[in-house]
Amino acid sequence: MSEKDLNGRALKVAFIGSECYPFVKTGGLGDVMYALPRALQRQGCEVRVIMPCYRCIPDKYKRMMQHRASFMMDLTRDGRTFFVGIMEAELDGVTYDFIENREFFDWGNPYTGLWEDIPKYCYFSKAALAALNCLDWIPDVIHCHDWQAALAPVYLRTHFAGTPVGSARSVLTIHNLRFQGICGIEHLKFWTSLPDELFNYPVFKINDGEANMFKGGLAFADRITTVSAAYADEIQTDFYGEGLNGHLWYHRQKLLGIVNGIDVEQWNSQEDKLLTAPYDGEDVLQKKPENKKALQERLGLSTEGDQFVIGLISRLTDQKGLDLIDAVFTQMLDEHTQVVILGTGDPRYENAFRYYEGEYKGRVCAYIKYDESLAHQIYAGADALLVPSLFEPCGLTQLIAMRYGTVPIVRETGGLKDTVEPYNENTGEGNGFTFDRYEAPLLLDAVRRARRVYTEDRDRWNAVVTRDMAKDVSWQRSAGLYMDLYAELAEQ
Ligand code: ADP
């Protein structure tokens, strides 16, 4: 029994979120929904993960699911009821409950567009709470993630007040404030049938007269967390607050930043079957060149000479600082530098990177796909990983890179600032290369500083690589902070 247990019994926490690796993942949220419950479980917490049963979940996982229950649930203002199926699976000791409804979850990968996603997640948040009552599994805390689950804290204190799950406390985590679930007030009233008085300014209403699901959830949640301390401060400012900075400042007493970790079993260079030459901190310097060569061969890059290979693994959106990369791309390249891009997203960036690949054959590869196995091979085979984000709530790619002995080059924002200690030219200390203002010449300067150390001071470069591999990027410490938070809430 852990010391964090409540009067001798384990804390019970229900995770509610829209994606979870390995069932469905589009970004860091999927990683956290997978890794944090496992880490919590190791610390003595009982966790259940509730997510939609999307059609796009691969069959091999669907075959693991068993039907647990089904019922009809009220949802809309016109009194329509909707089917809720509960499919259950267990993976490595964590129980997953999948909410089944073909009307909502048969489309998308898994998202479609706000018009369909808003009803989908109004339904999901309510069905998740109803499922807990139906399963008679009443958690101490419901831990909700991003706008898609933001209505759960609101339903908890309205439609579910007085029901068994209504005794739970709620935590709402902001993984990315850019996406908020905004629609017309009447639309949200229809799909939630929540009381009219909630559609006022302190709860759902925003300045332009629309309704904002995230805003309402933040108002109702007992605690708000975000995925790094720096981002917790940033979102209270105009620049990073995405229109909710005033609201978050108002609720700052319940706002806390806890930095994400990564699952160190999922990301383990020593056991990684996808690598040509698995390695650990002891033999990284011998094995990385083998992985680099395999990567170059797979992607049709030149293997001549000692190349400085820069990786980019990212959703290709404005958030990720790609306009900075585009502005200085050709200046970043030289005959000893190669760039490997893995990502999908905005056609503007997809096309720009495809163009560079065509223009610099053998030196640039733009792999415009989502590909887990290539991601592993880039983390292992590249020397440096670029993350020049405009904003970055936490960022996982720099953490995975460090774990694989790949040196991050990042902008000092959000979680990047909290997790990458800048290289110090005088002492050789630090974990990566950083720049502060969102300006392309500063990114170029950071890349050049990194390359200079790589080519002219290999001992110091190697010291950064081995230091990165030794850095603790696991969930252990942060999971402990979540345990403290849950225990504090449960005891109130
Ligand atoms: P975000 O959640 O904003 O997309 P994060 O850095 O928090 O960014 O998480 C990104 C996760 O998605 C990482 O696990 C990264 O390896 C993975 N990823 C991003 N793009 C791809 C891709 N094209 N192929 C494979 N994995 C990807």
Side-chain angles (χ1 to χ4, degrees):
M1 282 277 168
S2 138
E3 63 193 59
K4 310 255 171 56
D5 293 348
L6 282 178
N7 306 323
R9 74 168 175 85
L11 274 162
K12 287 166 87 172
V13 179
F15 269 52
I16 305 178
S18 59
E19 58 180 86
C20 179
Y21 174 88
F23 310 107
V24 55
K25 163 179 156 184
T26 70
L29 169 63
D31 285 315
V32 175
M33 289 284 294
Y34 167 72
L36 180 53
R38 286 158 57 95
L40 290 166
Q41 198 124 305
R42 268 180 235 125
Q43 300 198 12
C45 184
E46 258 184 63
V47 195
R48 258 185 137 90
V49 177
I50 307 183
M51 63 174 288
C53 191
Y54 301 110
R55 188 184 187 143
C56 63
I57 293 175
D59 282 343
K60 70 170 176 185
Y61 297 118
K62 291 230 175 87
R63 283 195 289 273
M64 290 165 50
M65 299 178 192
Q66 295 207 334
H67 178 262
R68 273 295 304 269
S70 46
F71 54 91
M72 297 302 287
M73 176 184 81
D74 293 341
L75 184 71
T76 50
R77 214 158 241 226
D78 61 0
R80 248 185 91 190
T81 57
F82 290 76
F83 174 82
V84 180
I86 307 175
M87 302 295 288
E88 198 164 279
E90 212 182 286
L91 195 67
D92 303 331
V94 176
T95 303
Y96 296 85
D97 287 305
F98 298 86
I99 302 296
E100 190 187 38
N101 179 302
R102 301 195 52 185
E103 208 169 325
F104 290 114
F105 301 135
D106 263 11
W107 290 270
N109 276 318
Y111 309 115
T112 19
L114 268 191
W115 184 250
E116 282 171 342
D117 286 350
I118 284 192
K120 187 192 279 186
Y121 294 112
C122 288
Y123 162 85
F124 168 64
S125 298
K126 189 168 185 184
L129 298 181
L132 289 168
N133 274 342
C134 170
L135 295 169
D136 194 20
W137 196 86
I138 305 306
D140 297 291
V141 177
I142 59 161
H143 188 163
C144 311
H145 299 266
D146 270 352
W147 76 267
Q148 295 93 342
L151 288 185
V154 186
Y155 287 131
L156 196 68
R157 300 282 169 258
T158 51
H159 295 323
F160 289 84
T163 74
V165 74
S167 64
R169 311 303 306 274
S170 64
V171 175
L172 177 55
T173 294
I174 303 170
H175 294 263
N176 193 335
L177 194 59
R178 176 144 290 184
F179 309 105
Q180 300 179 357
I182 295 176
C183 63
I185 284 185
E186 291 309 316
H187 193 51
L188 194 63
K189 274 187 182 170
F190 176 80
W191 280 103
T192 58
S193 54
L194 282 165
D196 280 351
E197 62 267 24
L198 299 189
F199 292 84
N200 54 19
Y201 189 73
V203 186
F204 284 120
K205 192 170 170 182
I206 50 176
N207 285 337
D208 57 8
E210 292 199 288
N212 182 328
M213 288 166 61
F214 219 162
K215 186 178 183 209
L218 295 167
F220 267 75
D222 293 309
R223 295 300 288 267
I224 302 166
T225 69
T226 187
V227 289
S228 67
Y231 194 59
D233 289 338
E234 287 172 352
I235 53 179
Q236 296 175 57
T237 67
D238 225 14
F239 185 81
Y240 293 99
E242 306 285 347
L244 289 184
N245 41 304
H247 190 62
L248 286 159
W249 183 83
Y250 180 80
H251 288 288
R252 67 192 178 285
Q253 304 295 1
K254 57 180 190 181
L255 171 63
L256 175 71
I258 301 179
V259 73
N260 284 339
I262 56 171
D263 190 290
V264 291
E265 285 171 20
Q266 180 193 354
W267 298 106
N268 180 355
S269 56
Q270 205 175 355
E271 305 279 321
D272 195 329
K273 298 200 169 48
L274 298 164
L275 306 189
T276 302
Y279 57 94
D280 59 17
E282 302 282 303
D283 60 358
V284 53
L285 302 173
Q286 291 81 55
K287 297 283 178 61
K288 204 171 234 305
E290 284 180 49
N291 289 303
K292 187 194 283 194
K293 187 156 181 282
L295 178 70
Q296 289 167 320
E297 282 168 355
R298 173 171 176 186
L299 300 179
L301 297 175
S302 161
T303 52
E304 295 290 300
D306 184 13
Q307 296 285 344
F308 181 58
V309 176
I310 304 174
L312 173 81
I313 301 175
S314 181
R315 287 185 294 117
L316 302 181
T317 68
D318 287 337
Q319 175 195 335
K320 299 294 182 177
L322 306 168
D323 49 343
L324 298 189
I325 298 181
D326 193 17
V328 293
F329 197 92
T330 50
Q331 297 168 70
M332 271 173 18
L333 289 176
D334 64 18
E335 65 275 24
H336 299 297
T337 306
Q338 298 177 336
V339 180
V340 174
I341 296 132
L342 172 63
T344 57
D346 190 335
R348 174 181 148 209
Y349 297 120
E350 292 187 347
N351 293 335
F353 292 132
R354 281 194 187 105
Y355 166 81
Y356 291 124
E357 178 182 90
E359 205 58 12
Y360 299 97
K361 276 253 168 289
R363 270 199 270 165
V364 176
C365 172
Y367 205 87
I368 308 298
K369 285 209 175 84
Y370 189 93
D371 188 316
E372 286 278 343
S373 82
L374 183 58
H376 282 248
Q377 287 154 10
I378 296 173
Y379 286 122
D383 296 295
L385 189 91
L386 267 189
V387 201
S389 305
L390 175 63
F391 68 95
E392 195 58 75
C394 177
L396 297 177
T397 59
Q398 83 281 11
L399 300 180
I400 304 169
M402 288 191 274
R403 171 115 174 111
Y404 276 59
T406 300
V407 177
I409 302 175
V410 308
R411 179 167 170 257
E412 290 165 21
T413 182
L416 299 171
K417 187 168 157 187
D418 286 355
T419 56
V420 181
E421 190 199 324
Y423 177 75
N424 181 323
E425 308 245 336
N426 298 319
T427 63
E429 286 165 356
N431 299 105
F433 292 80
T434 71
F435 64 102
D436 53 9
R437 291 186 312 282
Y438 192 74
E439 292 169 15
L442 298 187
L443 163 63
L444 182 60
D445 178 60
V447 170
R448 286 182 171 159
R449 277 185 283 127
R451 186 169 51 208
R452 201 176 319 121
V453 179
Y454 176 83
T455 46
E456 294 171 15
D457 202 346
R458 190 59 65 90
D459 287 347
R460 279 193 161 186
W461 178 269
N462 289 344
V464 179
V465 169
T466 29
R467 193 156 51 238
D468 279 351
M469 286 205 72
K471 186 177 160 76
D472 181 8
V473 291
S474 76
W475 264 107
Q476 196 177 351
R477 186 172 167 275
S478 294
L481 296 175
Y482 278 111
M483 289 289 275
D484 292 342
L485 174 68
Y486 302 147
E488 182 197 317
L489 281 170
E491 276 158 10
Q492 276 172 8

